[in-house]
Amino acid sequence: MKIDEISKQYAVHLGVAGSQLDELKADARLLGMMVFELDLSGLSDVTALCQYLETEFMYPHRTAGLDAAIDLISDLEWFGSAQGYLVSVRGANDSSPIAGDFISMFPNILDRWRTVDVPFVVAIEQKGDRLKAALADANEFMERAGRLPRAQPGIGPVGVVVHPTELGPKMS
């Protein structure tokens, strides 16, 4: 899968795994995009998640909480990548205690990147029901926010693309 084959660059892509994910990361790097490879395995609570994100995204200052994470990941000016960003995620399965909190940040983050027209792609290996529900709730919030009287033009839900399961090679 190549970046330009993704019809929705401001969307959360669920179920991007294996060779599909490897090809996507390689293509993003060839295009000059900054690639973040996150592994949420073993993160037990929101505090651990926030500390992990601070390290992985190399925040320019100390922060606390998911609101701060959303603000900083929505900007990333300290990297200055006009070509965009790819965030690939492993370990966000339905049994993870933080996967729902983590994934629900992305509609807000993607909405902000969409307004400045810098590609921001989120590719998550897993595609469980809890992830889909967390995204649906976050998108409902974005829908309501977009209808507020003083909302910025264009605020609203982002796309969620569920990719089919990649089939392995056929055995003869």
Side-chain angles (χ1 to χ4, degrees), residues 2-3 20 52 57 88-89 113-114 140-143 157:
K2 297 192 179 296
I3 290 289
Q20 240 184 1
Y52 177 74
F57 285 99
S88 77
V89 183
W113 283 106
R114 180 171 56 193
E140 184 179 311
F141 174 82
M142 294 301 295
E143 177 77 32

Side-chain angles (χ1 to χ4, degrees), residues 57-127:
F57 285 99
M58 298 180 257
Y59 297 165
H61 52 79
R62 300 276 312 174
T63 64
L66 290 176
D67 288 340
I70 290 169
D71 285 343
L72 287 163
I73 298 169
S74 297
D75 185 349
L76 300 178
E77 70 180 15
W78 55 97
F79 293 117
S81 176
Q83 288 72 36
Y85 302 89
L86 168 65
V87 177
S88 77
V89 183
R90 298 174 195 256
N93 56 48
D94 274 354
S95 64
S96 167
I98 52 88
D101 291 318
F102 172 76
I103 201 165
S104 66
M105 297 186 326
F106 284 103
N108 195 324
I109 291 168
L110 287 160
D111 184 67
R112 292 184 190 181
W113 283 106
R114 180 171 56 193
T115 64
V116 294
D117 200 29
V118 174
F120 196 94
V121 178
V122 180
I124 299 177
E125 279 192 349
Q126 293 75 23
K127 56 182 174 181

Side-chain angles (χ1 to χ4, degrees), residues 17-78:
S19 62
Q20 240 184 1
L21 184 58
D22 293 338
E23 186 179 332
L24 185 63
K25 290 187 292 191
D27 189 53
R29 287 185 176 105
L30 279 173
L31 294 171
M33 295 176 78
M34 182 129 200
V35 177
F36 295 95
E37 297 183 55
L38 305 180
D39 186 349
L40 305 183
S41 303
L43 297 178
S44 59
D45 59 29
V46 171
T47 301
L49 171 64
C50 291
Q51 291 169 346
Y52 177 74
L53 294 174
E54 181 178 334
T55 300
E56 293 301 307
F57 285 99
M58 298 180 257
Y59 297 165
H61 52 79
R62 300 276 312 174
T63 64
L66 290 176
D67 288 340
I70 290 169
D71 285 343
L72 287 163
I73 298 169
S74 297
D75 185 349
L76 300 178
E77 70 180 15
W78 55 97

